[in-house]
Amino acid sequence: MPKLEFSEAVDLVATKDARYDRDAYFFLRDALTHTAKQGRKAAGAAMEHVSGQQLLDGIRHYALKQFGPMVVTVFEYWGIHACKDFGEMVFNLIQAGVFRKTESDTIDDFKGAYTFQQAFVEPFLPETAPPMRRVRMNRPAKELN
């Protein structure tokens, strides 16, 4: 059986599982590439395998870089609401023969790494300012007529 092009595999996967937008799979592939490149830079050698936790960390960095404060909006449009959704997508691509896994890889690797609130909303919230002190203003006395 000939290997499918990525876009053909995404079409096949999206037909079987319509929860996620096609663009989400392309983002996932790009985030995986980004994660592997970052791993190579850090280790000084090629990464042979990216774990689920490493991929989620890479997705977080890549998404913030690509979409800034709009990350959650984009992900929701694509049908992604939590880290486990990325696991579902990864395993859809594994079943399609696009991604590979090791014996120790499971879909549970993608559960509970972070909440979208922590990862994508809180970085853009203003820092909490110290409470303002009440300042008593001296008011001028009323002028007498």
Side-chain angles (χ1 to χ4, degrees):
M1 179 169 131
K3 187 172 181 176
L4 295 174
E5 292 290 324
F6 187 77
S7 61
E8 294 172 324
V10 169
D11 288 340
L12 179 68
V13 166
T15 301
K16 290 181 180 179
D17 183 352
R19 290 178 293 173
Y20 309 111
D21 190 271
R22 288 181 83 255
D23 289 338
Y25 287 98
F26 288 92
F27 168 82
L28 179 61
R29 179 193 60 186
D30 294 345
L32 176 62
T33 301
H34 170 80
T35 303
K37 283 181 185 176
Q38 295 302 326
R40 275 193 290 265
K41 285 181 186 177
M47 287 184 79
E48 291 185 26
H49 179 69
V50 174
S51 71
Q53 292 295 311
Q54 289 170 322
L55 179 55
L56 287 173
D57 191 49
I59 286 169
R60 184 172 54 83
H61 287 280
Y62 189 67
L64 289 169
K65 181 179 170 184
Q66 294 298 308
F67 305 119
M70 295 299 296
V71 174
V72 175
T73 302
V74 172
F75 283 176
E76 285 179 357
Y77 181 78
W78 287 343
I80 301 168
H81 305 285
C83 292
K84 69 178 181 63
D85 291 315
F86 288 112
E88 296 283 343
M89 293 169 56
V90 165
F91 276 80
N92 284 345
L93 292 171
I94 289 168
Q95 288 178 345
V98 178
F99 286 0
R100 293 174 304 188
K101 73 178 203 78
T102 65
E103 289 293 320
S104 63
D105 291 330
T106 70
I107 201 158
D108 290 337
D109 296 339
F110 292 89
K111 292 181 181 173
Y114 49 78
T115 67
F116 281 15
Q117 174 73 27
Q118 292 169 321
F120 304 122
V121 175
E122 289 177 10
F124 296 102
L125 294 177
E127 290 189 28
T128 306
M132 292 184 63
R133 291 185 344 186
R134 270 197 117 135
V135 177
R136 188 174 182 153
M137 304 287 287
N138 289 333
R139 296 187 183 152
K142 289 187 179 179
E143 293 183 13
L144 297 172
N145 291 345

